[in-house]
Amino acid sequence: MNIKIWAISAFLIGFSGVAIAQEANDSTELIDSGVMYIDPLFEYPVAPEEISEFREKCNWLAENFWNPLDLKAKEAVDQAKLNHAFKVYATTAQYADKDKVTASVDRLMKNIQKNPMLLFQITKAAEETIYGPRAEFWIDELYARILSTALANKKFPKSKRARYEKQLKQLEATMIGNYPEKFDFVRPNGDQAQFFPMSTPTIIIFGDPDCDSCRMGKLRMQSNVTFSKAVADGKVNVLFIIPDPDDDWQSKMSDFPKNWSVGASDSVSEIYDIRDIPEVYVIGADGKVINKHIGVLDAMAAMLSILENGK
């Protein structure tokens, strides 16, 4: 069963012991089925039976999930167990109302502001479960809120600040609903260029011409007649940018469509949130980020919808 659905079902039926295969440690027991079990850091709360609506259950859980955790204990908690707790919390938070989740996170961060050890561990758990390469899903707005609060706290470990400050800067520069930062790039002929938000809807693909997924995405965009016509008519811009290019990148871009803006940038990875290749951004006619971390097909669909609906 999908772990996301499994975890939510565990909440709704009142089960508190949750299976996990990723975070094995000394307290983990391997059973005959090959599934590893880890004792929870605390007993996960269960929504009251009288709450029948699924979203309302998730709202209740978002508001009450961290109540059993001892927020005043100064010693470090088991990080693997905390990671798992945060994963279950975040899974439920995806289906809760945004204001409930925001209030829940703000309350948690406020309550641990005098506990620098737990403050760092919560930040680390959030990175592991909703941001980093092992995360099963990304929730950028939630993670940015946690980072912003943690870094504003003078007790946050100085040795850890640079890493998280860079992440926050990248997220804020590319957050959905915000204007993305402009960046410089070089065209294959050596001309200097710059991307900046404009009135023409834009798809930005950060990729590598040698990447199979990038090649397939390029092919799909070129073979879509409606989308290709929109690009040819100047109604949509497409940028394909190689972040941190190697020495012979120019030779790899000879077969890209002439009406695309293509090039390379050795600085954009410091500015933009590029956690995967290809990394696709959709910028609307108002110059704001509409979506990110999506596939080429979804990006094309978003663009065609913008053209059809006029926004």
Side-chain angles (χ1 to χ4, degrees):
M1 180 184 291
N2 182 292
I3 190 170
K4 183 182 297 184
I5 303 301
W6 196 90
I8 293 176
S9 298
F11 270 140
L12 302 186
I13 64 175
F15 187 73
S16 62
V18 185
I20 183 169
Q22 289 85 357
E23 291 119 3
N25 60 19
D26 293 340
S27 64
T28 301
E29 179 183 0
L30 183 63
I31 62 175
D32 293 340
S33 65
V35 177
M36 294 181 186
Y37 283 81
I38 185 169
D39 294 330
L41 183 62
F42 53 87
E43 184 175 354
Y44 299 155
V46 179
E49 292 183 2
E50 58 266 26
I51 301 177
S52 58
E53 294 293 328
F54 178 74
R55 179 172 291 275
E56 289 305 312
K57 285 181 180 289
C58 291
N59 284 341
W60 187 94
L61 290 164
E63 292 180 306
N64 294 276
F65 184 82
W66 298 106
N67 290 350
L69 177 62
D70 183 0
L71 302 179
K72 296 181 180 180
K74 300 302 181 181
E75 64 274 10
V77 301
D78 186 309
Q79 187 66 51
K81 292 183 179 182
L82 182 60
N83 289 354
H84 186 262
F86 201 98
K87 180 188 293 184
V88 178
Y89 166 76
T91 300
T92 303
Q94 291 185 97
Y95 301 95
D97 291 331
K98 179 180 176 180
D99 62 330
K100 301 295 185 183
V101 177
T102 298
S104 168
V105 168
D106 288 349
R107 184 168 58 254
L108 171 66
M109 300 303 286
K110 179 181 180 180
N111 289 339
I112 61 175
Q113 62 181 335
K114 295 182 180 180
N115 187 339
M117 176 61 72
L118 189 56
L119 178 69
F120 170 65
Q121 287 197 279
I122 286 287
T123 304
K124 187 176 179 180
E127 179 184 23
E128 178 74 15
T129 58
I130 61 173
Y131 177 85
R134 289 185 293 271
E136 295 180 9
F137 46 86
W138 292 338
I139 311 179
D140 292 353
E141 188 172 356
L142 181 62
Y143 185 56
R145 195 172 191 91
I146 290 171
L147 287 183
S148 179
T149 305
L151 293 170
N153 192 311
K154 295 180 180 179
K155 295 185 178 182
F156 192 83
K158 293 182 179 179
S159 61
K160 309 295 182 181
R161 281 187 172 275
R163 171 190 183 87
Y164 293 113
E165 285 173 347
K166 179 179 179 180
Q167 291 177 358
L168 180 59
K169 181 180 178 181
Q170 291 173 328
L171 286 172
E172 290 179 338
T174 57
M175 191 71 69
I176 292 176
N178 291 355
Y179 292 102
E181 292 289 323
K182 56 188 177 182
F183 62 86
D184 298 321
F185 65 98
V186 181
R187 300 185 189 278
N189 64 4
D191 288 348
Q192 299 292 320
Q194 185 181 73
F195 164 77
F196 54 89
M198 57 191 74
S199 59
T200 304
T202 302
I203 292 177
I204 308 175
I205 304 171
F206 295 105
D208 184 338
D210 291 333
C211 159
D212 289 340
S213 296
C214 298
R215 286 197 296 265
M216 180 60 68
K218 180 169 76 74
L219 179 61
R220 285 174 171 169
M221 296 178 85
Q222 289 178 279
S223 61
N224 186 302
V225 176
T226 304
F227 181 79
S228 293
K229 186 177 187 305
V231 175
D233 292 343
K235 296 179 179 179
V236 174
N237 290 332
V238 177
L239 277 74
F240 189 101
I241 305 296
I242 305 173
D244 304 317
D246 55 27
D247 293 337
D248 63 341
W249 65 269
Q250 293 93 335
S251 63
K252 301 176 182 179
M253 308 200 81
S254 58
D255 64 341
F256 276 71
K258 301 303 180 185
N259 52 16
W260 288 19
S261 293
V262 302
S265 173
D266 57 8
S267 61
V268 71
S269 61
E270 292 295 316
I271 305 170
Y272 270 56
D273 173 24
I274 305 174
R275 276 175 273 168
D276 203 3
I277 294 293
E279 183 72 84
V280 181
Y281 281 81
V282 179
I283 315 298
D286 59 358
K288 296 181 181 180
V289 178
I290 293 177
N291 216 331
K292 59 191 282 194
H293 309 318
I294 62 174
V296 165
L297 292 179
D298 288 335
M300 284 194 296
M303 279 300 170
L304 295 176
S305 177
I306 290 173
L307 296 180
E308 181 179 351
N309 299 318
K311 61 179 181 178

